[in-house]
Amino acid sequence: MLEIKVGEKGEIVLSGRFDASQAAKAETFLAAITESRNVDVSDLQYISSLGLGVLLATQKRLMSSGHGLKLTNVRGHIREIFHFSGFEQVFDIE
């Protein structure tokens, strides 16, 4: 199950499993984002291709107005997923 919330510093915090069953929940939450934000994925255990698509659609929408998402605390297998999916070309990742 995916938990998505706004952290203490205004960052978006994703934790748990971001899969197809959680995509609508994430789309609804991310649709309300209108400015640049950091997305902390330190506690993200899994992300499916649909989850990647939700992040990508949000990034494209924000970039069209001069904003974007920065993925932070990306580690281990989640970093590999972002690397092999080419997200390093689309997102600022640290």
Side-chain angles (χ1 to χ4, degrees), residues 52-53 55-56 71 82-83 85-93:
L52 291 171
L55 289 177
L56 183 60
L71 305 177
F82 288 143
H83 171 74
S85 65
F87 271 41
E88 292 171 334
Q89 307 300 317
V90 179
F91 290 89
D92 184 8
I93 298 177

Side-chain angles (χ1 to χ4, degrees), residues 12 30-31 33-39 51-71 86-93:
I12 299 166
L30 294 171
I33 304 301
T34 59
E35 297 181 343
S36 296
R37 292 285 183 96
N38 289 344
V39 180
L52 291 171
V54 170
L55 289 177
L56 183 60
T58 302
Q59 180 74 333
K60 286 183 176 182
R61 177 179 55 81
L62 290 172
M63 288 176 70
S64 71
S65 61
H67 298 282
L69 299 176
K70 178 179 182 180
L71 305 177
F87 271 41
E88 292 171 334
Q89 307 300 317
V90 179
F91 290 89
D92 184 8
I93 298 177

